[in-house]
């Protein structure tokens, strides 16, 4: 049975082998990894601690370890202790990593707050009770409050199953090897995907693809990567696009398209006598380095003079789709002169070369469009862009009100359906348009975006931009 005691924040040691992340070299790296995986949740927890202090009813689970059993290792509560160590200055991060409003709150915390929160209640277990501690921790992660315990995701569960229960987790093994050996993954993506990744999507993908690699199972496919495998580059493109949320269950289960062939991994030969539907099909490389299959073209199709030439369709994750939308975008109404200037600038950018510049222009387009929309409808008691005090409201709050106005509080079902993707994306605290992401793009030396991610998000949010400017 554990003993309960108050321990100082300083003497508690973070678990560098936390299941949420890959093993870390030190406490600063561990905290940075937790922030990278879910920045919104980490900062929400930190704000809660700064505003309300530590709740004494929430015990930190501590396991005594080390040769003499004197090391106090945190097994449950790593985010809380990590946040407190940042507040007290026991862990130092790059100043640019901290959001400015949190940095200001840390600077202004009172002596009374520091005196009240320097020790936290801990349930302390002996080294021989490590198995019991592991069971308790595994059962604990069921709360979904943002500032509460962080629910284990698929990566953490798989890592726990593999490392503690000895279960086979080929998707996790493949992911971890890819993050160490992949040629198309950035340092920031490696850090984030090591703890937050759509592992269930990858698991289904490699089960479907295994026969094409001339292997019997996903386990064998994972074991052979990266040195003894065919289509290594193609597989890495699939791994990357799953992480970017471009490839998901929808694409894997689409009976009309072969996702493997779309990435350059050919299907197995069909049995003799089966009809082929690939006549006239052609493939082309898109901007992500993957290969996508174009619409089926009848073998007898020719270009005939006098016949209208149709625009070639492109996929939603192709930068061409973004540029076509901007090219055809013609805002109407007053106070949109600067918006037109921003659109013209955005049309001149290449997403692959200028993803960050495009994000800032897109954010500015939404800010200006939202204020213009509020001005258009101010006489009819429409949405407000400012508070009663005259201060600007946050963009996400304004856009939510505009969405309600456009959909007539969701009673206009067609409009609500069309704008569903936009309002869902805008509500994400880690989304491209969030204040947090803009702050991180400016200040965080490791936070980046690329053209594929932008394309997907743009397709979701662009309908709202259009509706604000009709």
């Amino acid at each position: 049975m554990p003993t309960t005691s108050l321990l100082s924040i300083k003497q508690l040691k973070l678990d560098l082998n936390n299941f949420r992340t890959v093993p870390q070299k030190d406490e600063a790296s561990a905290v940075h990894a937790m922030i990278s995986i879910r920045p919104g949740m980490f900062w929400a927890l930190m704000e809660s601690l700064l505003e309300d202090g530590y709740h004494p009813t929430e015990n930190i689970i501590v396991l005594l370890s080390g040769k003499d059993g004197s090391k106090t290792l945190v097994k449950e509560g790593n985010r809380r202790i990590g946040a407190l160590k940042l507040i007290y200055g026991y862990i130092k991060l790059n100043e640019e990593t901290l959001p400015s409003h949190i940095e200001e709150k840390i600077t202004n915390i009172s002596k009374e707050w520091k005196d009240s929160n320097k020790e936290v209640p801990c349930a302390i277990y002996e080294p021989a009770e490590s198995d019991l501690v592991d069971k308790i921790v595994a059962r604990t992660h069921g709360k979904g409050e943002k500032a509460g315990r962080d629910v284990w995701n698929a990566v953490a569960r798989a890592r726990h199953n593999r490392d503690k229960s000895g279960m086979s987790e080929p998707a996790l093994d493949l992911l971890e090897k890819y993050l160490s050996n992949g040629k198309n993954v950035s340092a920031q993506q490696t850090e984030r995907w090591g703890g937050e990744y759509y592992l269930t999507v990858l698991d289904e993908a490699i089960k479907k693809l295994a026969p094409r690699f001339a292997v019997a199972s996903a386990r064998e496919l994972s074991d052979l990567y990266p040195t003894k495998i065919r289509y290594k580059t193609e597989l890495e493109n699939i791994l990357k696009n799953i992480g970017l949320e471009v490839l998901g269950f929808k694409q894997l289960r689409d009976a009309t398209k072969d996702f493997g062939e779309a990435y350059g991994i050919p299907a197995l030969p069909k049995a003799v006598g089966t009809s082929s539907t690939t006549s006239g099909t052609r493939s082309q490389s898109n901007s992500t380095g993957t290969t996508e299959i174009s619409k089926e073209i009848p073998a007898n199709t020719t270009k005939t003079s006098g016949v209208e030439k149709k625009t070639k369709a492109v996929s939603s994750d192709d930068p061409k789709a973004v540029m076509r939308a901007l090219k055809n975008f013609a805002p109407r109404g007053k106070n949109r002169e600067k918006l037109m200037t921003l659109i013209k600038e955005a049309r001149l950018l290449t997403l692959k070369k200028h993803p960050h510049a495009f994000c800032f222009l897109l954010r500015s387009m939404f800010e200006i469009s939202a204020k213009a929309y509020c001005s258009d409808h101010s006489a009819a008691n429409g949405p407000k862009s400012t508070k009663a005090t005259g201060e600007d409201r946050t963009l996400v709050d304004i856009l939510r009100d505009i969405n309600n106005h456009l959909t007539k509080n969701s009673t206009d079902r067609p409009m609500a359906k069309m704008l569903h993707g936009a309002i869902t994306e805008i509500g994400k605290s880690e989304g491209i348009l969030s204040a947090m992401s803009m702050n991180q793009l400016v200040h965080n030396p490791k936070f980046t975006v690329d053209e594929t991610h932008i394309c997907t998000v743009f397709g979701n949010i662009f309908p709202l931009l259009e509706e604000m400017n009709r």
Side-chain angles (χ1 to χ4, degrees), residues 38-278:
R38 290 189 177 178
M41 294 191 72
F42 191 91
W43 300 132
L45 169 62
M46 202 161 175
E47 282 190 274
S48 174
L49 290 169
L50 286 165
E51 291 172 5
D52 304 322
Y54 189 88
H55 295 298
T57 57
E58 298 179 357
N59 282 347
I60 300 296
I61 295 180
V62 172
L63 179 66
L64 297 178
S65 60
K67 292 182 179 179
D68 57 356
S70 61
K71 183 178 179 182
T72 49
L73 181 66
V74 176
K75 297 301 290 183
E76 162 56 28
N78 279 278
R79 286 195 315 140
R80 284 171 282 166
I81 299 304
L84 286 167
K85 286 198 172 194
L86 280 180
I87 294 171
Y88 279 93
Y90 299 142
I91 293 177
K92 302 287 187 182
L93 295 181
N94 188 316
E95 290 183 1
E96 295 179 345
T97 302
L98 284 173
S100 57
H101 68 288
I102 288 182
E103 187 176 7
E104 183 179 352
K105 286 185 178 181
I106 293 175
T107 302
N108 295 326
I109 57 176
S110 65
K111 182 179 182 301
E112 181 183 5
W113 188 100
K114 285 189 173 182
D115 290 341
S116 300
N117 294 281
K118 63 183 179 181
E119 293 182 329
V120 294
C122 299
I124 306 168
Y125 290 81
E126 296 294 328
E129 298 176 291
S130 61
D131 289 343
L132 174 60
V133 169
D134 185 59
K135 289 181 181 179
I136 294 171
V137 172
R139 293 169 185 162
T140 298
H141 296 267
K143 296 182 180 180
E145 292 297 325
K146 220 178 185 187
R149 292 186 176 96
D150 188 2
V151 180
W152 276 356
N153 58 23
V155 174
R157 289 194 300 272
R159 195 170 279 132
H160 180 270
N161 289 341
R162 182 192 65 187
D163 296 349
K164 290 296 182 179
S165 303
M167 297 176 64
S168 175
E169 294 288 348
L172 176 63
D173 292 340
L174 176 60
L175 172 64
E176 290 182 343
K177 289 200 285 185
Y178 164 66
L179 297 179
S180 297
N181 300 281
K183 303 300 184 184
N184 63 345
V185 60
S186 68
Q188 190 267 340
Q189 288 166 341
T190 297
E191 190 169 44
R192 187 173 77 248
W193 294 344
E196 181 78 12
Y197 187 87
Y198 286 92
L199 200 64
T200 51
V201 176
L202 177 59
D203 186 60
E204 181 167 325
I206 59 178
K207 286 177 181 176
K208 289 177 177 287
L209 291 174
R212 303 189 189 190
F213 285 83
V215 296
S217 65
R219 174 74 273 162
E220 189 176 353
L221 172 59
S222 177
D223 290 343
L224 291 175
Y225 176 86
T227 58
K228 300 177 181 179
I229 193 172
R230 305 166 64 193
Y231 310 119
K232 176 185 171 184
T233 299
E234 291 78 3
L235 180 61
E236 289 182 350
N237 285 331
I238 288 174
L239 281 152
K240 180 176 183 179
N241 277 1
I242 291 174
L244 293 174
E245 302 178 40
V246 174
L247 179 61
F249 287 122
K250 181 179 178 181
Q251 291 77 21
L252 295 187
R253 298 168 183 175
D254 187 346
T256 65
K257 296 180 181 178
D258 187 317
F259 85 93
E261 286 189 339
Y263 284 85
I265 302 174
L268 296 174
K270 293 186 177 181
V272 178
T274 44
S275 60
S276 173
T277 58
T278 58

